[in-house]
Amino acid sequence: MTEDFRGKRGQVPKKLQTVVLVGRPNVGKSTLFNRITGIRRAIVAPIAGTTRDVNSSKAEWGGVRFLLTDTGGMFGASEDPLHDMVSARGQRALQEASVVVFVADAVSGALPADQEVAEALRGSGKPVVLAVNKSDDRRAQAGTLEFHRLGFEPVIAISAEHGRGIGDLLEEVIARLGSRPAPVTEPAGEAADAGEEADSAAPPRDERPDVTAVAIVGRPNVGKSSLVNRMLREERVLVSPMPGTTRDAIDTELQWRKRRFRIVDTAGIRRPGSVARSGAVERVSAMQSKRAIERAEVVVLVLDSVEGATDQDAAIAGAADKAGRGLIVAANKWDLLKDGGPPAARKFDDELARQMKFLDYAPVIHISARTGERVPKLLETIDRVSERRRRRVPSGELNRFVRDVTAANPPVSPGRREVRVMYATQVAIAPPTFVFFTNVATTFHFSYERFLVNRLREAFGFEGSPIRIEVRARSGRR
Ligand code: GDP
Ligand code: GDP
């Protein structure tokens, strides 16, 4: 399963070292694999043992390349009485591993099956990093404490789904890869050729899943159900209500041009005739919004343009941002305001920008679910935002960015030593996540982080997507 690749100067072809994901079913290996490689290949479903094949893909972190292998289904698919704890293929994958990432689940806690996996791993003698996934979940046990008794250090809390802690995890992984292969990226200045080479190995540009999950959220009566109905009318090719992941969630799929959109949780929004405005209704809708956001790639926040944005709208937008989803603001009922012409639109947008300062990346579309005005434009924007947040910046371009932007505007150093950004890597997509490597350990001031985010957005697009930034000292080892 391993592949060769040419060393940086094109001399010695080096065998890529292999990092293997191991863990019982349903802990999130497949999600983590997708998160690190940016590839969406296996069906992620809450059914034990859904992903059964060995899957490998090249990955890179902190300038180090490796092969990532997911052993989904090869460890403890214990529903199957004939299935050994570790299948032959699992054994093989383990033998080839340079480092093992043992994935466990913070929601379920450490189970006997985890103990069994731990035994198998101890037998292999391989270096193990334990990743406790789903730490974003409210039901997650208090931290990683109980996982230490599985006997591995370090134990790192992550959320594969939200992209949290992935940098920390990979940092530990890289530190355990035997002899460090030559970095594929170099400090700014000497980067050009190494960067170009990395580009040729970059994954294909459109890394999107076949179906884009979209959440239509907002307060009661802003026009969500009218909008969904209008969208379905716009393109009536494919309409199929299908059960979502929870019992009362119904999703609806529609085809738009060559893309398929799945509107999640339409059961919640299509309930007709509720005009009540009591606190209870607001609370229910807030809960539905939250659930829909969790399940979506792109969030469309619907506002009533006459009323403008409220605190609850800001809260919903904040939740989308926090979850790393794409965000679009649909200013609905624009038919009631459009007599004001472009000045009215500008005034509305300015006011909105003032209310939601930190969400200036979200495109605002003035629509009317009633007349259908600009609903096609909304669909087009959903498509574009879903593409942008999965964009991967080629390392050559990122190195040029570092050279042009951070060299001209270095971070302000809190201590005595001058802080310089040496190079940067995009470690994840959806949302795009960048690690900036500095000459000394430091943190970026909030305003500098914001500066970088704005510049990254200017340089590479990312319309409608939050951008995450991490900082690390260049020497990877601790
Ligand atoms: P695998 O069987 O180990 O490959 O697990 P999957 O990647 O298929 O994930 C199993 C389930 O856990 C899916 O429903 C995922 O959506 C969910 N999941 C994965 N990672 C996370 C996470 O970081 N947080 C939460 N809350 N759920 C997750
Ligand atoms: P929901 O509670 O967010 O799903 O809102 P509805 O879709 O039920 O709409 C609430 C009310 O606003 C209904 O009376 C709709 O007819 C009206 N409405 C929805 N969209 C528009 C629009 O674009 N323009 C106007 N003028 N009214 C709208």
Side-chain angles (χ1 to χ4, degrees), residues 218-294:
R219 289 177 298 119
N221 292 319
V222 293
K224 296 181 296 301
S225 25
S226 307
L227 175 59
V228 169
N229 287 326
R230 173 59 72 173
M231 285 164 91
L232 297 179
R233 222 175 314 156
E234 242 9 272
E235 294 292 329
R236 64 218 102 142
V237 189
L238 173 72
V239 182
S240 60
M242 46 201 285
T245 50
T246 53
R247 215 180 323 146
D248 53 342
I250 301 283
D251 297 352
T252 303
E253 251 184 57
L254 71 130
Q255 177 141 358
W256 182 77
R257 297 193 185 156
K258 292 233 161 75
R259 301 290 312 167
R260 270 158 69 202
F261 295 147
R262 176 189 302 135
I263 318 271
V264 303
D265 250 7
T266 42
I269 59 182
R270 300 183 82 190
R271 213 161 286 144
S274 69
V275 275
R277 243 161 230 262
S278 65
V281 172
E282 293 260 341
R283 270 195 302 283
V284 168
S285 94
M287 260 169 51
Q288 276 163 350
S289 294
K290 229 182 133 211
R291 188 175 68 180
I293 288 168
E294 284 301 317

Side-chain angles (χ1 to χ4, degrees), residues 156-452:
I156 299 165
I158 65 165
S159 167
E161 206 151 271
H162 294 194
R164 298 284 178 196
I166 308 298
D168 291 335
L169 171 64
L170 291 177
E171 172 93 348
E172 297 293 348
V173 167
I174 296 302
R176 280 163 184 74
L177 283 176
S179 57
R180 267 177 94 111
V184 290
T185 50
E186 284 285 286
E190 327 161 15
D193 60 348
E196 249 72 83
E197 185 190 292
D199 291 358
S200 61
R205 268 194 108 67
D206 200 335
E207 298 181 15
R208 284 184 293 175
D210 297 339
V211 185
T212 301
V214 181
I216 310 283
V217 297
R219 289 177 298 119
N221 292 319
V222 293
K224 296 181 296 301
S225 25
S226 307
L227 175 59
V228 169
N229 287 326
R230 173 59 72 173
M231 285 164 91
L232 297 179
R233 222 175 314 156
E234 242 9 272
E235 294 292 329
R236 64 218 102 142
V237 189
L238 173 72
V239 182
S240 60
M242 46 201 285
T245 50
T246 53
R247 215 180 323 146
D248 53 342
I250 301 283
D251 297 352
T252 303
E253 251 184 57
L254 71 130
Q255 177 141 358
W256 182 77
R257 297 193 185 156
K258 292 233 161 75
R259 301 290 312 167
R260 270 158 69 202
F261 295 147
R262 176 189 302 135
I263 318 271
V264 303
D265 250 7
T266 42
I269 59 182
R270 300 183 82 190
R271 213 161 286 144
S274 69
V275 275
R277 243 161 230 262
S278 65
V281 172
E282 293 260 341
R283 270 195 302 283
V284 168
S285 94
M287 260 169 51
Q288 276 163 350
S289 294
K290 229 182 133 211
R291 188 175 68 180
I293 288 168
E294 284 301 317
R295 300 184 51 221
E297 287 251 341
V298 177
V299 174
V300 176
L301 172 60
V302 184
L303 301 180
D304 181 328
S305 304
V306 179
E307 293 181 355
T310 66
D311 287 351
Q312 201 196 331
D313 294 315
I316 296 173
D321 178 87
K322 197 163 157 234
R325 305 310 195 238
L327 180 64
I328 298 165
V329 177
N332 190 33
K333 308 195 186 180
W334 197 254
D335 53 300
L336 302 175
L337 282 186
K338 71 172 189 177
D339 289 347
R346 220 170 304 122
K347 185 159 165 263
F348 181 88
D349 290 357
D350 287 348
E351 175 67 11
L352 190 65
R354 206 182 48 74
Q355 282 171 303
M356 301 195 188
K357 261 199 203 78
F358 297 104
L359 302 164
D360 50 6
Y361 57 81
V364 181
I365 321 261
H366 310 101
I367 64 162
S368 169
R370 177 164 290 173
T371 67
E373 225 171 326
R374 274 186 294 277
V375 172
K377 187 174 176 200
L378 175 63
L379 289 163
E380 202 177 291
T381 309
I382 293 171
D383 184 37
R384 201 170 55 243
V385 167
S386 84
E387 188 263 324
R388 296 293 151 86
R389 71 191 279 280
R390 290 184 166 270
R391 234 179 219 190
R392 205 178 274 278
V393 179
S395 16
E397 286 181 33
L398 203 52
N399 283 326
R400 269 190 291 282
F401 174 88
V402 166
R403 204 159 50 213
D404 297 347
V405 174
T406 66
N409 304 277
V412 179
S413 12
R416 217 169 284 165
R417 279 191 68 184
E418 187 195 338
V419 177
R420 269 173 301 131
V421 175
M422 312 303 285
Y423 58 98
T425 309
Q426 181 173 0
V427 293
I429 57 169
T433 305
F434 298 88
V435 176
F436 286 80
F437 290 87
T438 48
N439 57 331
V440 287
T442 186
T443 52
F444 287 161
H445 187 269
F446 174 71
S447 60
Y448 191 70
E449 197 174 306
R450 206 150 152 76
F451 164 77
L452 283 182

